[in-house]
Amino acid sequence: MEVVRQWVAKADNDLKNAVHTLLMGEDCPLDTVCFHAEQCAEKYLKALLAFQGIDFPKTHDLGELVALLPDKDRFPLSVDDCERLTDYAIVTRYPGDWGTIDRQDAEQAVTLAKQVRDAIRGLLPREVFE
């Protein structure tokens, strides 16, 4: 249970970073917001997999992680949403030609991260959050 608790704590910290960074206004590094939103979703998925005793690879691919979940634990995160968030973990992490991220993209990434968090928190036991 301690490992699950640690995944949740790290995921929550990533979400706090994303939400707080959005408050910066014009000076907000939107790519960083998106990166931390993806990290939140990824770590919550890994927390759920760890809780269920399902081994998972070292990957940032959310679709790959979601595919490991038993059908009863699927939650509403479309293939497109998984790909979009996964791109934020991989493509935007380093310099390159990955296009422009606008505020709407960053806000949507945070919304998706919150949806993943809320869905998974409903599947984990209460003692993980104490």
Side-chain angles (χ1 to χ4, degrees), residues 49 52 54-57 59 63-71 74:
L49 291 166
Q52 294 179 342
I54 299 171
D55 289 331
F56 51 87
T59 183
E64 187 176 344
L65 296 172
V66 168
L68 295 172
L69 294 172
D71 287 340
R74 303 264 174 183

Side-chain angles (χ1 to χ4, degrees), residues 81-127:
D81 292 339
C82 285
E83 288 176 3
R84 181 178 301 113
L85 285 175
T86 296
D87 282 348
Y88 294 145
I90 298 168
V91 179
T92 64
R93 179 181 277 187
Y94 303 107
D97 187 21
W98 37 263
T100 302
I101 294 175
D102 62 25
R103 186 161 194 88
Q104 183 177 351
D105 294 328
E107 289 172 354
Q108 183 181 25
V110 169
T111 297
L112 290 172
K114 287 178 179 179
Q115 289 173 352
V116 171
R117 176 202 61 194
D118 293 347
I120 292 176
R121 285 179 76 93
L123 299 170
L124 293 174
R126 179 169 239 147
E127 63 259 24

Side-chain angles (χ1 to χ4, degrees), residues 4 28 32 35 46 64 73 97:
V4 176
C28 178
T32 302
F35 172 77
K46 289 178 177 179
E64 187 176 344
D73 291 335
D97 187 21

Side-chain angles (χ1 to χ4, degrees), residues 7-22:
W7 278 112
V8 166
K10 294 296 278 180
D12 285 340
N13 284 342
D14 279 309
L15 186 58
K16 286 176 191 174
N17 270 304
V19 170
H20 178 74
T21 303
L22 269 177

Side-chain angles (χ1 to χ4, degrees), residues 20-40:
H20 178 74
T21 303
L22 269 177
L23 299 175
M24 294 175 68
E26 290 290 320
D27 203 29
C28 178
L30 298 170
D31 60 327
T32 302
V33 171
C34 293
F35 172 77
H36 283 291
E38 185 284 336
Q39 288 291 288
C40 171

